[in-house]
């Protein structure tokens, strides 16, 4: 077959404009370019700005955008260009579990995440781990509601918004897809998917996929490995009825990148890493920081049309997970404690020298979670009434134990299983932390969407949520059984008005709450003494948010602008604390906070196959209270919130003429404070991604076949990209009552280095 040079010439003329454009991606995938281009309107409902009608801010990306990105990227990285999304990751390929997403200055423990209607956040700490989510090839859409979660979303902490992943449906016809990728740092990835097509007269159709990904650490020694399986079974019948069940299994062993303080960064830069070789007594050896984890997710959404006015929806889900976040430390044979109990007999430590041995500290977690959210929707004239119930039960078994290592620094057991862990002289598990937490969430919601006129809709709703935690501390001490229960009343209202077929106005008021994480329940011990007292009476965060927005949906130009305002009581700010050497998620109560700003995005499609996307955010935050520290108060009133850049911008272009395609992506994130006192911050920075590819369909046969090159962070700036752990103050600071409050150094994410990925994609 010959190649039509009209495609090649068109691409040659377009590529310079594509790469000189100062800006970020939107996606439009067309089958062929016309002989001539007439700008008469080019809708792009599957790019970076799909049409929306919800009475709230919401942005989305679809499969047509995702398919042009590096297939290794996780969900956080994929939404980086959307308004307000501030993403920090530890590696360019999205393999590490150490990553961060903030929206409007609100951390990922404030952002609900659902996949196929099932929650993905950790029930104990509320964070989500995007490297565990479904493979990008199986994702149909990722929607990001920046301001609030929908009333029926099974999430608790979602003041920052809701990230929703929708999996691709199985295909009607039998077929498959193979993606093979190689890249920088010995990156190697294979993805295979098989679709059954409709199976006989059953109406069932399904897909199953498997991926295997491996890459060396981009800085320092070590490597990451990830195996993943996704599957989905679907049955559709009648007038819109459908039932499906989706499975996602993840098996990974990834490295923990160290997070430098500002002093570390100035001294060593990207050289702040783990050690590549083990020497006696070394607790920084890279093999002591490889974390294995396995997860299994099941989601079973169902939609039934019971009659012309009544529908039923249910989303049942199940989660199982087990893994270890290990670290290097040293133990003595004597002078050890279990909680408040001093161990009279020495413990046996293989390889001890002068009574001290280097060991691997384990931070193991074993999670189980099951739940369901169901609702009935009834149409009665101008009213659409929704009523539903949510039930969620979860357990989290957390243990900090210790495992011996050999003379080469290799741990006897990377998983931290108790049968191979170090024990006391009388056979008990030697543990710094040993607890089980049971969390029961019950919720109900009632909403009414009222079509006042054909153009005006008013929504009102109420959601009540009760969160009960029962904790069991297995360490000797003053507390063993703990209980915490809280109820939140969450009213909301929204207005949507269509000015005409293209223009919309919307406004809403939403309430949200967040309980302290389970870490806050338990005492922390050192040397037999309580250094942090657990409490079951900590106050919940409660927030009220308002949005006022405008949308325009045109044939070649679409844009939206949203003004927002938040007020928080008992603002819970996520951080990472050192718990016996392990770094674990925790929160700080920052008191009251006020935030307001503007989000905007524009998608311009000047010609078929071409798209330009711009987004931006202005964010103003203010702490309304002084921060209590010890018996004094830090003068934080009037300071800006941590991890809340005042300005963010994203800009980009894509081009696709049916044969050649490419894109650029530029993201700028402004200065971010790392302390409540605003006495330490990191500078603003920008990243640039590029891609170029060719559609090969027609050269061999008619099946889809693409070859693409993705360049990630091509300018390779040496920057700190986000705040890993915050502190109250970096410098010694006088409190309101005259006490000098000692400073402590925050730590940061190191912006990932330049990486390239080449992918050959073939459908069959």
């Amino acid at each position: 077959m010959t190649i039509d040079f009209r495609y090649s010439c068109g691409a040659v003329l377009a590529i310079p404009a594509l790469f000189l454009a100062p800006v970020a991606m939107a996606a439009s995938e067309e089958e062929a370019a016309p002989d001539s281009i007439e700008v008469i309107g080019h809708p792009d409902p599957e790019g970076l700005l799909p049409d929306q009608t919800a009475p709230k801010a919401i942005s989305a990306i679809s499969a047509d955008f995702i398919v042009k990105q590096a297939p290794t990227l996780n969900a956080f990285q994929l939404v980086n260009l959307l308004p307000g999304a501030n993403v920090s990751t530890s590696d360019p390929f999205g393999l590490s579990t150490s990553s961060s997403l903030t929206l409007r200055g609100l951390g990922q423990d404030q952002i609900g995440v659902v996949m196929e209607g099932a929650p993905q956040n950790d029930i104990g700490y509320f964070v989500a781990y995007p490297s565990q989510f479904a493979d990008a090839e199986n994702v149909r859409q990722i929607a990001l509601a920046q301001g609030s979660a929908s009333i029926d979303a099974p999430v608790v902490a979602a003041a920052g918004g809701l990230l929703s992943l929708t999996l691709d449906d199985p295909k009607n016809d039998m077929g498959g897809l193979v993606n093979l990728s190689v890249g920088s740092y010995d990156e190697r990835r294979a993805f295979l998917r098989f679709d059954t097509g409709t199976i006989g007269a059953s109406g069932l159709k399904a897909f199953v996929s498997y991926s295997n990904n491996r890459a060396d650490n981009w800085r320092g020694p070590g490597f990451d490995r990830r195996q993943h399986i996704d599957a989905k079974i679907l049955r559709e019948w009648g007038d819109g009825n459908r039932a499906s069940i989706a499975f996602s299994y993840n098996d990974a062993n990834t490295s923990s990148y160290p997070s430098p303080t500002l002093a570390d960064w100035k001294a060593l830069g990207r050289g702040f890493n783990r050690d590549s070789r083990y020497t006696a007594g070394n607790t920084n050896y890279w093999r002591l920081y490889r974390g294995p984890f396995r997860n299994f997710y099941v989601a079973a959404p169902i939609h039934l049309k019971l009659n012309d006015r009544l529908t039923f929806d249910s989303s049942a889900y199940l989660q199982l997970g087990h893994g270890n976040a290990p670290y290097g430390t040293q133990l003595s044979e004597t002078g050890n404690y279990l909680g408040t109990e001093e161990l009279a007999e020495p413990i046996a430590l293989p390889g001890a020298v002068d009574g001290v041995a280097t060991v691997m500290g384990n931070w193991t977690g074993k999670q189980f979670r099951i739940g369901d959210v169901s609702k009935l929707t009834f149409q009665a004239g101008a009213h659409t009434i929704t009523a539903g119930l949510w039930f969620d039960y979860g357990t989290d078994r957390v243990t900090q134990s210790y495992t011996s290592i050999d003379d080469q620094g290799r741990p006897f057991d990377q998983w931290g299983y108790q049968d191979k862990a170090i024990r006391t002289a009388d056979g008990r598990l030697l543990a710094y932390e040993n607890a089980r937490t049971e969390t029961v969430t019950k919720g109900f919601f009632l909403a009414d969407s009222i079509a006042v006129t054909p153009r005006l809709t008013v929504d009102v709703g109420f959601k009540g949520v009760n969160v009960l935690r029962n904790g069991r501390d297995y360490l000797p001490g003053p507390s063993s059984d703990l209980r915490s229960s809280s109820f939140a009343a969450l009213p909301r209202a929204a207005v949507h008005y269509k000015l005409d077929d293209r223009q919309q106005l919307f406004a809403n008021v939403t309430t949200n709450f967040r309980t302290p994480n389970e870490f806050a329940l338990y005492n922390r011990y050192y040397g037999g003494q309580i250094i942090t007292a657990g409490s079951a009476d900590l106050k919940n965060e409660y927030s009220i948010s308002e949005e006022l927005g405008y949308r325009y949906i045109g044939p070649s130009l679409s844009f939206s602008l949203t003004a927002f305002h938040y007020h928080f009581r008992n603002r819970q700010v996520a951080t990472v604390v050192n718990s016996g050497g392990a770094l674990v998620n925790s929160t700080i109560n920052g008191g009251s906070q006020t935030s307001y700003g503007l989000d905007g995005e524009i998608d311009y499609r000047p010609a078929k196959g071409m798209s330009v996307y711009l987004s931006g955010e202005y964010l103003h935050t203010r702490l309304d209270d002084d921060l209590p520290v010890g018996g004094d108060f830090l003068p934080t009133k009037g300071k800006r919130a941590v991890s809340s850049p005042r300005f963010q911008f994203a800009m980009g272009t894509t081009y696709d003429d049916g044969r050649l395609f490419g894109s650029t992506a530029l993201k700028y994130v402004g200065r971010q404070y790392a302390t409540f006192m605003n006495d330490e911050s990191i500078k603003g920075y920008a990243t640039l991604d590029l891609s170029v590819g060719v559609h090969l369909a027609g050269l061999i046969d008619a099946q889809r076949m693409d070859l693409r090159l993705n360049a990630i962070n091509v300018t390779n700036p040496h920057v700190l990209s986000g705040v890993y752990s915050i502190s109250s103050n970096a410098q010694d600071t006088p409190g309101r009552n005259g006490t000098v409050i000692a400073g402590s150094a925050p730590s940061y994410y190191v912006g990932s280095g330049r990486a390239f990925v080449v992918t050959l994609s073939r459908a069959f």
Side-chain angles (χ1 to χ4, degrees), residues 675-688:
T675 68
F676 285 86
M677 276 301 299
N678 293 175
D679 56 359
E680 188 169 299
S681 63
I682 56 174
K683 298 177 181 179
Y685 68 95
T687 59
L688 176 65

Side-chain angles (χ1 to χ4, degrees), residues 483-654:
R483 179 183 174 91
S484 172
S485 181
S486 59
F487 176 82
L490 305 172
R492 60 173 61 199
V495 177
H496 182 267
Y497 184 73
K498 293 180 63 176
L499 297 172
D500 53 37
D501 289 342
R502 300 196 183 281
Q503 301 181 86
Q504 307 170 29
L505 293 173
F506 63 86
N508 63 67
V509 179
T510 307
T511 55
N512 288 279
F513 92 115
R514 180 192 187 284
T515 65
N517 66 40
E518 67 180 43
F519 188 86
L521 283 174
Y522 300 100
N523 293 334
R524 291 293 172 266
Y525 303 99
Y526 181 78
Q529 302 297 315
I530 298 175
I531 56 173
T532 301
S535 175
D537 299 318
L538 296 179
K539 295 179 179 179
N540 293 329
E541 175 185 283
Y542 194 86
S543 65
I544 301 175
S545 63
E546 302 92 23
E547 290 183 329
L548 177 63
Y550 170 81
R551 285 194 192 102
Y552 176 81
I553 302 173
S556 296
L557 175 70
S558 299
F559 66 89
S560 71
L561 183 66
T562 304
F564 57 86
H565 175 270
Y566 294 85
H567 179 72
F568 295 88
R569 297 199 308 264
N570 302 305
R571 169 84 164 91
Q572 303 285 327
V573 183
T575 187
V576 176
V577 300
N578 190 313
S579 176
L583 298 175
V584 300
N585 297 297
S586 187
T587 54
I588 294 175
N589 189 325
S592 296
Q593 178 183 319
T594 300
S595 306
Y596 60 82
L598 287 171
D599 281 340
E601 55 183 339
I602 302 172
D603 189 22
Y604 176 49
R605 303 168 294 277
K608 187 176 182 181
M610 297 182 67
S611 182
V612 179
Y613 176 84
L614 301 95
S615 74
E617 178 178 86
Y618 167 75
L619 174 65
H620 176 87
T621 61
R622 182 183 186 274
L623 303 181
D624 299 326
D625 293 322
D626 290 334
L627 183 70
V629 178
D632 207 337
F633 293 86
L634 270 176
T636 56
K637 185 175 182 179
K639 302 294 185 181
R640 288 169 56 184
V642 296
S643 301
S644 300
R646 181 162 288 181
F647 294 102
Q648 292 188 73
F649 298 104
M651 301 174 287
T653 60
T654 61

Side-chain angles (χ1 to χ4, degrees), residues 249-573:
Y249 173 74
N250 195 74
D251 181 355
N253 198 339
T254 57
S255 301
S256 169
Y257 288 91
S259 299
T261 64
L262 203 56
D264 294 329
W265 176 250
K266 290 178 180 178
L268 299 172
R270 290 179 173 178
F272 184 76
N273 294 312
R274 307 295 181 199
D275 295 332
S276 59
R277 294 186 177 181
Y278 179 74
T279 56
N282 184 4
T283 60
N284 195 46
Y285 181 49
W286 70 273
R287 290 188 182 276
L288 302 179
Y289 293 85
R290 283 181 54 75
F293 219 98
R294 291 180 181 140
N295 304 83
F296 181 59
Y297 299 92
V298 181
I302 184 171
H303 174 78
L304 300 176
K305 186 174 181 180
L306 304 179
N307 57 45
D308 291 340
R309 295 195 297 171
L310 184 65
T311 60
F312 172 75
D313 292 272
S314 176
S315 295
Y317 54 87
L318 168 70
Q319 298 177 14
L320 299 170
H322 173 69
N324 189 14
Y327 56 95
T329 189
Q330 288 190 326
L331 279 181
S332 298
E333 293 182 318
T334 59
N336 294 294
Y337 291 82
L338 274 180
T340 57
E341 178 188 337
E342 183 176 8
L343 300 179
E345 297 294 326
I347 57 176
L349 294 177
V353 177
D354 296 329
V356 177
T358 301
V359 299
M360 184 179 75
N362 305 302
W363 197 86
T364 60
K366 186 175 184 178
Q367 294 88 32
F368 169 82
R369 190 176 183 186
I370 191 169
D372 177 81
V373 56
S374 296
K375 65 179 181 180
L376 286 168
T377 303
F378 182 67
Q379 184 72 45
H383 297 266
T384 302
I385 301 170
T386 301
L389 298 172
W390 173 36
F391 176 79
D392 185 289
Y393 173 84
T395 60
D396 188 15
R397 185 71 168 90
V398 174
T399 307
Q400 282 199 58
S401 60
Y402 306 94
T403 299
S404 296
I405 63 176
D406 63 20
D407 57 4
Q408 301 298 312
R410 297 174 181 268
F412 292 171
D413 171 35
Q414 191 74 42
W415 287 86
Y417 288 125
Q418 293 189 13
D419 60 351
K420 296 183 180 179
I422 296 170
R423 294 189 169 267
T424 65
D426 58 4
R428 291 178 293 170
L429 180 71
L430 181 66
Y432 177 80
E433 181 179 7
N434 194 349
R436 180 183 185 273
T437 309
E438 176 186 82
T439 303
V440 181
T441 306
K442 299 176 183 178
F444 66 91
F445 51 91
L446 180 65
D448 189 6
S449 181
I450 309 166
V452 180
T453 71
R455 294 183 181 272
L456 176 64
T457 303
V458 176
D459 295 346
V460 293
F462 179 86
K463 187 173 186 177
V465 180
N466 177 260
V467 178
L468 169 67
R469 293 197 197 274
N470 289 313
R472 173 70 174 174
D473 192 344
Y474 295 97
L475 294 180
S479 62
S480 55
D481 294 315
L482 306 112
R483 179 183 174 91
S484 172
S485 181
S486 59
F487 176 82
L490 305 172
R492 60 173 61 199
V495 177
H496 182 267
Y497 184 73
K498 293 180 63 176
L499 297 172
D500 53 37
D501 289 342
R502 300 196 183 281
Q503 301 181 86
Q504 307 170 29
L505 293 173
F506 63 86
N508 63 67
V509 179
T510 307
T511 55
N512 288 279
F513 92 115
R514 180 192 187 284
T515 65
N517 66 40
E518 67 180 43
F519 188 86
L521 283 174
Y522 300 100
N523 293 334
R524 291 293 172 266
Y525 303 99
Y526 181 78
Q529 302 297 315
I530 298 175
I531 56 173
T532 301
S535 175
D537 299 318
L538 296 179
K539 295 179 179 179
N540 293 329
E541 175 185 283
Y542 194 86
S543 65
I544 301 175
S545 63
E546 302 92 23
E547 290 183 329
L548 177 63
Y550 170 81
R551 285 194 192 102
Y552 176 81
I553 302 173
S556 296
L557 175 70
S558 299
F559 66 89
S560 71
L561 183 66
T562 304
F564 57 86
H565 175 270
Y566 294 85
H567 179 72
F568 295 88
R569 297 199 308 264
N570 302 305
R571 169 84 164 91
Q572 303 285 327
V573 183

